[in-house]
Amino acid sequence: MAPPMELFDDEPTSTREAIMQATYAALAKHGYADLTIQRISDEFNKSKSLLYHHYDSKDALLVDFLGFMLEQMEADVPIQESGNAYDQLMSAFRHAFGELFEEPDFLRAVLELRAQAATDETYRRQFTANEEFIQSKLAEIVRNGIDEGTFRDVDPDRTAEMLLTVIDGAILRQATIDDVDVDVVRQELDAYVRSRLVTDDVEIDA
Amino acid sequence: MAPPMELFDDEPTSTREAIMQATYAALAKHGYADLTIQRISDEFNKSKSLLYHHYDSKDALLVDFLGFMLEQMEADVPIQESGNAYDQLMSAFRHAFGELFEEPDFLRAVLELRAQAATDETYRRQFTANEEFIQSKLAEIVRNGIDEGTFRDVDPDRTAEMLLTVIDGAILRQATIDDVDVDVVRQELDAYVRSRLVTDDVEIDA
């Protein structure tokens, strides 16, 4: 299985990176509930004692993995300067839907980690910061779109929250129910942007 | 804590109903990960052995609870015949957001149960059937709206999938991140319906 994020693909440059790659592989293979330190160490052919040298517990390792993965996702957000705000938003959606959705096993593992945030404060803080980061990036594109005249005079933060809610809903559905066609939501999101945001005097290709 | 669904409020009329109410209370109080048969039996002051008489395991009990809860939610979907399709859609949203979102503890427990569907086929089938049911109800409203001229000639099923994705995204966000204002999404959902669905010649109150 090809990892969705480039760092998981590269030769690891540190022990931590090697552990993160092994955790990623074990999570995608076994899921959150069946993840064990043994299964993580199986993925990089090193001893369990090495893992315990770096982390006190499976939970500590997973918290570090979560931080690593979210940092990675944030660093990966494309900065597209060309085109108008509509093009930039579409590029952001392609990125969001592309990354996660091409890796159903990993998407499920991310959702399982995120569900921990329902009761675990540490997870909750990390996912909250990650969502705020993505929302601020989306709001920036909407704000630029209003300034350049591509978008109507909507509230950028509220609009960004709506866009992110759709992406989150797609993640929840894709990870937990059968036969979801994620292209339907991507196309409906496009239709939403056109009807709600794009001003009448801007030409958008069909 | 007031239960969100009426049946959880009534005097139980059978042992199963009493067990379902106790499970609901224990889930809302302890969350999915810390739920035990002991904690469920604590909620209705009966012995653990009574629970084991009815269910082989905690998992079997939770699967029955999930089916009971989803049936309950489906039976609870309001059938509003008055007003146009826009009014009916708003009534459905009020119901969806009202039920779950007024009970944060229970919303979190539902999300934890749903996350099990990432890896558990039984949960996955039940949540899939539930989502299909809700989507079909939303599509029916959209279809009626097109027929009566309230809505544009959109694809009812795809539109319903988008609406449900927004609701699911709101559930995921509310259950797992801090400081979500669910009214923002409800209002943006209203704005989406107005700009994407409602025809120009229909008058909608501001």
Side-chain angles (χ1 to χ4, degrees), chain A residues 147-180:
Chain A
D147 290 346
E148 74 187 12
T150 308
F151 292 159
R152 290 179 224 281
D153 189 22
V154 296
D155 182 314
D157 292 315
R158 297 170 74 100
T159 305
E161 189 165 342
M162 174 69 168
L163 297 173
L164 187 52
T165 301
V166 177
I167 294 170
D168 277 347
I171 290 172
L172 178 58
R173 283 170 56 80
Q174 181 81 4
T176 60
I177 69 172
D178 291 323
D179 303 324
V180 175

PDB file of all heavy atoms in Angstrom, chain A residues 147-180:
ATOM      1  N   ASP A 147     -11.812  39.788  -1.847  1.00  0.00           N
ATOM      2  CA  ASP A 147     -11.001  40.967  -2.192  1.00  0.00           C
ATOM      3  C   ASP A 147     -10.812  41.104  -3.703  1.00  0.00           C
ATOM      4  O   ASP A 147     -10.853  42.207  -4.248  1.00  0.00           O
ATOM      5  CB  ASP A 147      -9.619  40.885  -1.512  1.00  0.00           C
ATOM      6  CG  ASP A 147      -9.723  41.068  -0.004  1.00  0.00           C
ATOM      7  OD1 ASP A 147     -10.790  41.520   0.457  1.00  0.00           O
ATOM      8  OD2 ASP A 147      -8.749  40.756   0.712  1.00  0.00           O
ATOM      9  N   GLU A 148     -10.601  39.977  -4.375  1.00  0.00           N
ATOM     10  CA  GLU A 148     -10.338  40.059  -5.822  1.00  0.00           C
ATOM     11  C   GLU A 148     -11.628  40.085  -6.636  1.00  0.00           C
ATOM     12  O   GLU A 148     -11.582  40.226  -7.859  1.00  0.00           O
ATOM     13  CB  GLU A 148      -9.438  38.890  -6.267  1.00  0.00           C
ATOM     14  CG  GLU A 148     -10.149  37.550  -6.325  1.00  0.00           C
ATOM     15  CD  GLU A 148      -9.228  36.349  -6.597  1.00  0.00           C
ATOM     16  OE1 GLU A 148      -7.989  36.488  -6.517  1.00  0.00           O
ATOM     17  OE2 GLU A 148      -9.779  35.269  -6.881  1.00  0.00           O
ATOM     18  N   GLY A 149     -12.778  39.935  -5.969  1.00  0.00           N
ATOM     19  CA  GLY A 149     -14.057  40.019  -6.679  1.00  0.00           C
ATOM     20  C   GLY A 149     -14.554  38.701  -7.240  1.00  0.00           C
ATOM     21  O   GLY A 149     -15.573  38.659  -7.937  1.00  0.00           O
ATOM     22  N   THR A 150     -13.847  37.603  -6.947  1.00  0.00           N
ATOM     23  CA  THR A 150     -14.305  36.286  -7.420  1.00  0.00           C
ATOM     24  C   THR A 150     -15.502  35.806  -6.599  1.00  0.00           C
ATOM     25  O   THR A 150     -16.412  35.170  -7.123  1.00  0.00           O
ATOM     26  CB  THR A 150     -13.161  35.245  -7.294  1.00  0.00           C
ATOM     27  OG1 THR A 150     -11.987  35.763  -7.923  1.00  0.00           O
ATOM     28  CG2 THR A 150     -13.535  33.934  -7.942  1.00  0.00           C
ATOM     29  N   PHE A 151     -15.451  36.097  -5.300  1.00  0.00           N
ATOM     30  CA  PHE A 151     -16.498  35.606  -4.399  1.00  0.00           C
ATOM     31  C   PHE A 151     -17.379  36.745  -3.886  1.00  0.00           C
ATOM     32  O   PHE A 151     -16.938  37.889  -3.761  1.00  0.00           O
ATOM     33  CB  PHE A 151     -15.875  34.886  -3.194  1.00  0.00           C
ATOM     34  CG  PHE A 151     -15.189  33.573  -3.521  1.00  0.00           C
ATOM     35  CD1 PHE A 151     -14.242  33.047  -2.645  1.00  0.00           C
ATOM     36  CD2 PHE A 151     -15.490  32.859  -4.676  1.00  0.00           C
ATOM     37  CE1 PHE A 151     -13.603  31.839  -2.930  1.00  0.00           C
ATOM     38  CE2 PHE A 151     -14.857  31.656  -4.972  1.00  0.00           C
ATOM     39  CZ  PHE A 151     -13.903  31.147  -4.094  1.00  0.00           C
ATOM     40  N   ARG A 152     -18.606  36.394  -3.570  1.00  0.00           N
ATOM     41  CA  ARG A 152     -19.522  37.327  -2.922  1.00  0.00           C
ATOM     42  C   ARG A 152     -19.004  37.705  -1.534  1.00  0.00           C
ATOM     43  O   ARG A 152     -18.125  37.045  -0.987  1.00  0.00           O
ATOM     44  CB  ARG A 152     -20.884  36.652  -2.713  1.00  0.00           C
ATOM     45  CG  ARG A 152     -21.671  36.397  -3.955  1.00  0.00           C
ATOM     46  CD  ARG A 152     -22.998  35.695  -3.590  1.00  0.00           C
ATOM     47  NE  ARG A 152     -23.261  34.600  -4.512  1.00  0.00           N
ATOM     48  CZ  ARG A 152     -23.751  34.767  -5.743  1.00  0.00           C
ATOM     49  NH1 ARG A 152     -24.067  35.979  -6.175  1.00  0.00           N
ATOM     50  NH2 ARG A 152     -23.951  33.726  -6.540  1.00  0.00           N
ATOM     51  N   ASP A 153     -19.640  38.688  -0.956  1.00  0.00           N
ATOM     52  CA  ASP A 153     -19.210  39.213   0.345  1.00  0.00           C
ATOM     53  C   ASP A 153     -19.773  38.352   1.489  1.00  0.00           C
ATOM     54  O   ASP A 153     -20.588  38.817   2.291  1.00  0.00           O
ATOM     55  CB  ASP A 153     -19.683  40.667   0.461  1.00  0.00           C
ATOM     56  CG  ASP A 153     -19.077  41.333   1.688  1.00  0.00           C
ATOM     57  OD1 ASP A 153     -18.036  40.851   2.179  1.00  0.00           O
ATOM     58  OD2 ASP A 153     -19.672  42.329   2.155  1.00  0.00           O
ATOM     59  N   VAL A 154     -19.308  37.106   1.565  1.00  0.00           N
ATOM     60  CA  VAL A 154     -19.764  36.198   2.628  1.00  0.00           C
ATOM     61  C   VAL A 154     -18.841  36.345   3.847  1.00  0.00           C
ATOM     62  O   VAL A 154     -17.855  37.062   3.811  1.00  0.00           O
ATOM     63  CB  VAL A 154     -19.726  34.723   2.151  1.00  0.00           C
ATOM     64  CG1 VAL A 154     -20.704  34.502   0.999  1.00  0.00           C
ATOM     65  CG2 VAL A 154     -18.310  34.331   1.745  1.00  0.00           C
ATOM     66  N   ASP A 155     -19.190  35.666   4.931  1.00  0.00           N
ATOM     67  CA  ASP A 155     -18.310  35.645   6.106  1.00  0.00           C
ATOM     68  C   ASP A 155     -17.249  34.545   5.884  1.00  0.00           C
ATOM     69  O   ASP A 155     -17.594  33.357   5.834  1.00  0.00           O
ATOM     70  CB  ASP A 155     -19.149  35.343   7.354  1.00  0.00           C
ATOM     71  CG  ASP A 155     -18.310  35.356   8.630  1.00  0.00           C
ATOM     72  OD1 ASP A 155     -17.211  34.745   8.631  1.00  0.00           O
ATOM     73  OD2 ASP A 155     -18.759  35.942   9.620  1.00  0.00           O
ATOM     74  N   PRO A 156     -15.969  34.923   5.737  1.00  0.00           N
ATOM     75  CA  PRO A 156     -14.951  33.914   5.394  1.00  0.00           C
ATOM     76  C   PRO A 156     -14.831  32.800   6.430  1.00  0.00           C
ATOM     77  O   PRO A 156     -14.683  31.627   6.060  1.00  0.00           O
ATOM     78  CB  PRO A 156     -13.645  34.729   5.333  1.00  0.00           C
ATOM     79  CG  PRO A 156     -14.079  36.134   5.098  1.00  0.00           C
ATOM     80  CD  PRO A 156     -15.395  36.275   5.801  1.00  0.00           C
ATOM     81  N   ASP A 157     -14.904  33.138   7.711  1.00  0.00           N
ATOM     82  CA  ASP A 157     -14.723  32.113   8.739  1.00  0.00           C
ATOM     83  C   ASP A 157     -15.886  31.117   8.774  1.00  0.00           C
ATOM     84  O   ASP A 157     -15.684  29.913   8.900  1.00  0.00           O
ATOM     85  CB  ASP A 157     -14.556  32.763  10.115  1.00  0.00           C
ATOM     86  CG  ASP A 157     -13.242  33.511  10.204  1.00  0.00           C
ATOM     87  OD1 ASP A 157     -12.211  32.957   9.761  1.00  0.00           O
ATOM     88  OD2 ASP A 157     -13.241  34.652  10.682  1.00  0.00           O
ATOM     89  N   ARG A 158     -17.098  31.652   8.676  1.00  0.00           N
ATOM     90  CA  ARG A 158     -18.261  30.760   8.697  1.00  0.00           C
ATOM     91  C   ARG A 158     -18.291  29.892   7.445  1.00  0.00           C
ATOM     92  O   ARG A 158     -18.628  28.710   7.513  1.00  0.00           O
ATOM     93  CB  ARG A 158     -19.556  31.579   8.791  1.00  0.00           C
ATOM     94  CG  ARG A 158     -19.648  32.376  10.086  1.00  0.00           C
ATOM     95  CD  ARG A 158     -20.820  33.342  10.033  1.00  0.00           C
ATOM     96  NE  ARG A 158     -22.076  32.636  10.184  1.00  0.00           N
ATOM     97  CZ  ARG A 158     -22.775  32.550  11.319  1.00  0.00           C
ATOM     98  NH1 ARG A 158     -22.314  33.136  12.409  1.00  0.00           N
ATOM     99  NH2 ARG A 158     -23.913  31.918  11.372  1.00  0.00           N
ATOM    100  N   THR A 159     -17.940  30.491   6.312  1.00  0.00           N
ATOM    101  CA  THR A 159     -17.906  29.715   5.066  1.00  0.00           C
ATOM    102  C   THR A 159     -16.861  28.611   5.161  1.00  0.00           C
ATOM    103  O   THR A 159     -17.105  27.468   4.767  1.00  0.00           O
ATOM    104  CB  THR A 159     -17.584  30.649   3.884  1.00  0.00           C
ATOM    105  OG1 THR A 159     -18.541  31.705   3.878  1.00  0.00           O
ATOM    106  CG2 THR A 159     -17.636  29.899   2.563  1.00  0.00           C
ATOM    107  N   ALA A 160     -15.681  28.949   5.705  1.00  0.00           N
ATOM    108  CA  ALA A 160     -14.613  27.954   5.856  1.00  0.00           C
ATOM    109  C   ALA A 160     -15.058  26.828   6.783  1.00  0.00           C
ATOM    110  O   ALA A 160     -14.758  25.653   6.558  1.00  0.00           O
ATOM    111  CB  ALA A 160     -13.349  28.615   6.381  1.00  0.00           C
ATOM    112  N   GLU A 161     -15.814  27.179   7.820  1.00  0.00           N
ATOM    113  CA  GLU A 161     -16.302  26.154   8.740  1.00  0.00           C
ATOM    114  C   GLU A 161     -17.259  25.198   8.031  1.00  0.00           C
ATOM    115  O   GLU A 161     -17.213  23.984   8.245  1.00  0.00           O
ATOM    116  CB  GLU A 161     -16.990  26.827   9.942  1.00  0.00           C
ATOM    117  CG  GLU A 161     -17.316  25.836  11.036  1.00  0.00           C
ATOM    118  CD  GLU A 161     -17.652  26.503  12.372  1.00  0.00           C
ATOM    119  OE1 GLU A 161     -17.313  27.691  12.563  1.00  0.00           O
ATOM    120  OE2 GLU A 161     -18.251  25.825  13.221  1.00  0.00           O
ATOM    121  N   MET A 162     -18.100  25.759   7.174  1.00  0.00           N
ATOM    122  CA  MET A 162     -19.021  24.915   6.398  1.00  0.00           C
ATOM    123  C   MET A 162     -18.235  23.989   5.464  1.00  0.00           C
ATOM    124  O   MET A 162     -18.530  22.789   5.384  1.00  0.00           O
ATOM    125  CB  MET A 162     -19.965  25.823   5.604  1.00  0.00           C
ATOM    126  CG  MET A 162     -20.886  25.095   4.650  1.00  0.00           C
ATOM    127  SD  MET A 162     -22.155  24.095   5.492  1.00  0.00           S
ATOM    128  CE  MET A 162     -23.225  23.727   4.084  1.00  0.00           C
ATOM    129  N   LEU A 163     -17.245  24.531   4.768  1.00  0.00           N
ATOM    130  CA  LEU A 163     -16.459  23.712   3.835  1.00  0.00           C
ATOM    131  C   LEU A 163     -15.765  22.570   4.577  1.00  0.00           C
ATOM    132  O   LEU A 163     -15.757  21.422   4.131  1.00  0.00           O
ATOM    133  CB  LEU A 163     -15.410  24.585   3.121  1.00  0.00           C
ATOM    134  CG  LEU A 163     -15.974  25.704   2.231  1.00  0.00           C
ATOM    135  CD1 LEU A 163     -14.839  26.599   1.709  1.00  0.00           C
ATOM    136  CD2 LEU A 163     -16.780  25.134   1.066  1.00  0.00           C
ATOM    137  N   LEU A 164     -15.198  22.898   5.736  1.00  0.00           N
ATOM    138  CA  LEU A 164     -14.499  21.888   6.521  1.00  0.00           C
ATOM    139  C   LEU A 164     -15.479  20.838   7.073  1.00  0.00           C
ATOM    140  O   LEU A 164     -15.149  19.656   7.168  1.00  0.00           O
ATOM    141  CB  LEU A 164     -13.741  22.569   7.665  1.00  0.00           C
ATOM    142  CG  LEU A 164     -12.809  21.697   8.491  1.00  0.00           C
ATOM    143  CD1 LEU A 164     -11.841  20.915   7.618  1.00  0.00           C
ATOM    144  CD2 LEU A 164     -12.026  22.573   9.482  1.00  0.00           C
ATOM    145  N   THR A 165     -16.678  21.275   7.415  1.00  0.00           N
ATOM    146  CA  THR A 165     -17.698  20.336   7.899  1.00  0.00           C
ATOM    147  C   THR A 165     -18.047  19.319   6.817  1.00  0.00           C
ATOM    148  O   THR A 165     -18.222  18.130   7.098  1.00  0.00           O
ATOM    149  CB  THR A 165     -18.962  21.105   8.358  1.00  0.00           C
ATOM    150  OG1 THR A 165     -18.590  22.025   9.390  1.00  0.00           O
ATOM    151  CG2 THR A 165     -20.027  20.163   8.891  1.00  0.00           C
ATOM    152  N   VAL A 166     -18.110  19.784   5.573  1.00  0.00           N
ATOM    153  CA  VAL A 166     -18.387  18.857   4.466  1.00  0.00           C
ATOM    154  C   VAL A 166     -17.239  17.852   4.322  1.00  0.00           C
ATOM    155  O   VAL A 166     -17.472  16.645   4.164  1.00  0.00           O
ATOM    156  CB  VAL A 166     -18.598  19.619   3.138  1.00  0.00           C
ATOM    157  CG1 VAL A 166     -18.805  18.630   1.992  1.00  0.00           C
ATOM    158  CG2 VAL A 166     -19.787  20.558   3.249  1.00  0.00           C
ATOM    159  N   ILE A 167     -16.010  18.332   4.390  1.00  0.00           N
ATOM    160  CA  ILE A 167     -14.847  17.433   4.276  1.00  0.00           C
ATOM    161  C   ILE A 167     -14.862  16.418   5.426  1.00  0.00           C
ATOM    162  O   ILE A 167     -14.669  15.214   5.218  1.00  0.00           O
ATOM    163  CB  ILE A 167     -13.529  18.240   4.258  1.00  0.00           C
ATOM    164  CG1 ILE A 167     -13.457  19.079   2.979  1.00  0.00           C
ATOM    165  CG2 ILE A 167     -12.316  17.317   4.356  1.00  0.00           C
ATOM    166  CD1 ILE A 167     -12.326  20.100   2.960  1.00  0.00           C
ATOM    167  N   ASP A 168     -15.133  16.892   6.637  1.00  0.00           N
ATOM    168  CA  ASP A 168     -15.188  15.986   7.791  1.00  0.00           C
ATOM    169  C   ASP A 168     -16.312  14.966   7.651  1.00  0.00           C
ATOM    170  O   ASP A 168     -16.154  13.795   8.012  1.00  0.00           O
ATOM    171  CB  ASP A 168     -15.383  16.793   9.086  1.00  0.00           C
ATOM    172  CG  ASP A 168     -14.055  17.342   9.610  1.00  0.00           C
ATOM    173  OD1 ASP A 168     -12.992  16.901   9.133  1.00  0.00           O
ATOM    174  OD2 ASP A 168     -14.084  18.204  10.504  1.00  0.00           O
ATOM    175  N   GLY A 169     -17.449  15.423   7.139  1.00  0.00           N
ATOM    176  CA  GLY A 169     -18.561  14.506   6.930  1.00  0.00           C
ATOM    177  C   GLY A 169     -18.190  13.426   5.924  1.00  0.00           C
ATOM    178  O   GLY A 169     -18.538  12.252   6.092  1.00  0.00           O
ATOM    179  N   ALA A 170     -17.463  13.822   4.884  1.00  0.00           N
ATOM    180  CA  ALA A 170     -17.035  12.849   3.872  1.00  0.00           C
ATOM    181  C   ALA A 170     -16.079  11.835   4.487  1.00  0.00           C
ATOM    182  O   ALA A 170     -16.145  10.642   4.180  1.00  0.00           O
ATOM    183  CB  ALA A 170     -16.382  13.563   2.696  1.00  0.00           C
ATOM    184  N   ILE A 171     -15.207  12.288   5.378  1.00  0.00           N
ATOM    185  CA  ILE A 171     -14.279  11.376   6.057  1.00  0.00           C
ATOM    186  C   ILE A 171     -15.054  10.379   6.919  1.00  0.00           C
ATOM    187  O   ILE A 171     -14.838   9.164   6.855  1.00  0.00           O
ATOM    188  CB  ILE A 171     -13.278  12.170   6.941  1.00  0.00           C
ATOM    189  CG1 ILE A 171     -12.299  12.938   6.050  1.00  0.00           C
ATOM    190  CG2 ILE A 171     -12.520  11.238   7.899  1.00  0.00           C
ATOM    191  CD1 ILE A 171     -11.384  13.899   6.799  1.00  0.00           C
ATOM    192  N   LEU A 172     -16.005  10.895   7.712  1.00  0.00           N
ATOM    193  CA  LEU A 172     -16.785  10.005   8.589  1.00  0.00           C
ATOM    194  C   LEU A 172     -17.563   8.979   7.775  1.00  0.00           C
ATOM    195  O   LEU A 172     -17.572   7.788   8.100  1.00  0.00           O
ATOM    196  CB  LEU A 172     -17.739  10.837   9.462  1.00  0.00           C
ATOM    197  CG  LEU A 172     -18.663  10.046  10.401  1.00  0.00           C
ATOM    198  CD1 LEU A 172     -17.878   9.167  11.361  1.00  0.00           C
ATOM    199  CD2 LEU A 172     -19.575  11.002  11.193  1.00  0.00           C
ATOM    200  N   ARG A 173     -18.192   9.431   6.701  1.00  0.00           N
ATOM    201  CA  ARG A 173     -18.997   8.508   5.899  1.00  0.00           C
ATOM    202  C   ARG A 173     -18.122   7.477   5.195  1.00  0.00           C
ATOM    203  O   ARG A 173     -18.414   6.288   5.224  1.00  0.00           O
ATOM    204  CB  ARG A 173     -19.843   9.285   4.885  1.00  0.00           C
ATOM    205  CG  ARG A 173     -21.072   9.947   5.537  1.00  0.00           C
ATOM    206  CD  ARG A 173     -21.772  10.916   4.606  1.00  0.00           C
ATOM    207  NE  ARG A 173     -22.164  10.307   3.351  1.00  0.00           N
ATOM    208  CZ  ARG A 173     -23.256   9.547   3.166  1.00  0.00           C
ATOM    209  NH1 ARG A 173     -24.079   9.335   4.178  1.00  0.00           N
ATOM    210  NH2 ARG A 173     -23.534   9.044   1.990  1.00  0.00           N
ATOM    211  N   GLN A 174     -17.048   7.959   4.577  1.00  0.00           N
ATOM    212  CA  GLN A 174     -16.171   7.049   3.845  1.00  0.00           C
ATOM    213  C   GLN A 174     -15.594   5.973   4.773  1.00  0.00           C
ATOM    214  O   GLN A 174     -15.434   4.816   4.381  1.00  0.00           O
ATOM    215  CB  GLN A 174     -15.027   7.864   3.213  1.00  0.00           C
ATOM    216  CG  GLN A 174     -14.040   7.067   2.395  1.00  0.00           C
ATOM    217  CD  GLN A 174     -14.568   6.784   0.985  1.00  0.00           C
ATOM    218  OE1 GLN A 174     -15.638   7.249   0.598  1.00  0.00           O
ATOM    219  NE2 GLN A 174     -13.808   6.014   0.236  1.00  0.00           N
ATOM    220  N   ALA A 175     -15.274   6.366   6.013  1.00  0.00           N
ATOM    221  CA  ALA A 175     -14.619   5.431   6.932  1.00  0.00           C
ATOM    222  C   ALA A 175     -15.598   4.461   7.587  1.00  0.00           C
ATOM    223  O   ALA A 175     -15.189   3.403   8.045  1.00  0.00           O
ATOM    224  CB  ALA A 175     -13.860   6.197   8.011  1.00  0.00           C
ATOM    225  N   THR A 176     -16.892   4.804   7.631  1.00  0.00           N
ATOM    226  CA  THR A 176     -17.792   3.997   8.466  1.00  0.00           C
ATOM    227  C   THR A 176     -18.996   3.401   7.743  1.00  0.00           C
ATOM    228  O   THR A 176     -19.728   2.620   8.349  1.00  0.00           O
ATOM    229  CB  THR A 176     -18.337   4.807   9.664  1.00  0.00           C
ATOM    230  OG1 THR A 176     -19.055   5.934   9.162  1.00  0.00           O
ATOM    231  CG2 THR A 176     -17.207   5.265  10.575  1.00  0.00           C
ATOM    232  N   ILE A 177     -19.258   3.809   6.493  1.00  0.00           N
ATOM    233  CA  ILE A 177     -20.393   3.176   5.814  1.00  0.00           C
ATOM    234  C   ILE A 177     -19.975   2.678   4.434  1.00  0.00           C
ATOM    235  O   ILE A 177     -18.949   3.089   3.891  1.00  0.00           O
ATOM    236  CB  ILE A 177     -21.651   4.073   5.744  1.00  0.00           C
ATOM    237  CG1 ILE A 177     -21.427   5.256   4.817  1.00  0.00           C
ATOM    238  CG2 ILE A 177     -22.089   4.551   7.117  1.00  0.00           C
ATOM    239  CD1 ILE A 177     -22.699   6.044   4.574  1.00  0.00           C
ATOM    240  N   ASP A 178     -20.793   1.772   3.876  1.00  0.00           N
ATOM    241  CA  ASP A 178     -20.443   1.140   2.598  1.00  0.00           C
ATOM    242  C   ASP A 178     -20.886   1.987   1.416  1.00  0.00           C
ATOM    243  O   ASP A 178     -21.826   2.776   1.510  1.00  0.00           O
ATOM    244  CB  ASP A 178     -21.127  -0.240   2.505  1.00  0.00           C
ATOM    245  CG  ASP A 178     -20.538  -1.238   3.487  1.00  0.00           C
ATOM    246  OD1 ASP A 178     -19.313  -1.200   3.693  1.00  0.00           O
ATOM    247  OD2 ASP A 178     -21.301  -2.041   4.048  1.00  0.00           O
ATOM    248  N   ASP A 179     -20.209   1.775   0.310  1.00  0.00           N
ATOM    249  CA  ASP A 179     -20.637   2.294  -0.999  1.00  0.00           C
ATOM    250  C   ASP A 179     -20.780   3.813  -1.057  1.00  0.00           C
ATOM    251  O   ASP A 179     -21.724   4.337  -1.652  1.00  0.00           O
ATOM    252  CB  ASP A 179     -21.991   1.661  -1.418  1.00  0.00           C
ATOM    253  CG  ASP A 179     -21.898   0.147  -1.460  1.00  0.00           C
ATOM    254  OD1 ASP A 179     -20.839  -0.365  -1.856  1.00  0.00           O
ATOM    255  OD2 ASP A 179     -22.869  -0.516  -1.058  1.00  0.00           O
ATOM    256  N   VAL A 180     -19.868   4.530  -0.421  1.00  0.00           N
ATOM    257  CA  VAL A 180     -19.872   5.983  -0.551  1.00  0.00           C
ATOM    258  C   VAL A 180     -19.071   6.344  -1.797  1.00  0.00           C
ATOM    259  O   VAL A 180     -17.961   5.862  -1.990  1.00  0.00           O
ATOM    260  CB  VAL A 180     -19.230   6.646   0.683  1.00  0.00           C
ATOM    261  CG1 VAL A 180     -19.137   8.156   0.476  1.00  0.00           C
ATOM    262  CG2 VAL A 180     -20.028   6.332   1.933  1.00  0.00           C
TER     263      VAL A 180
END
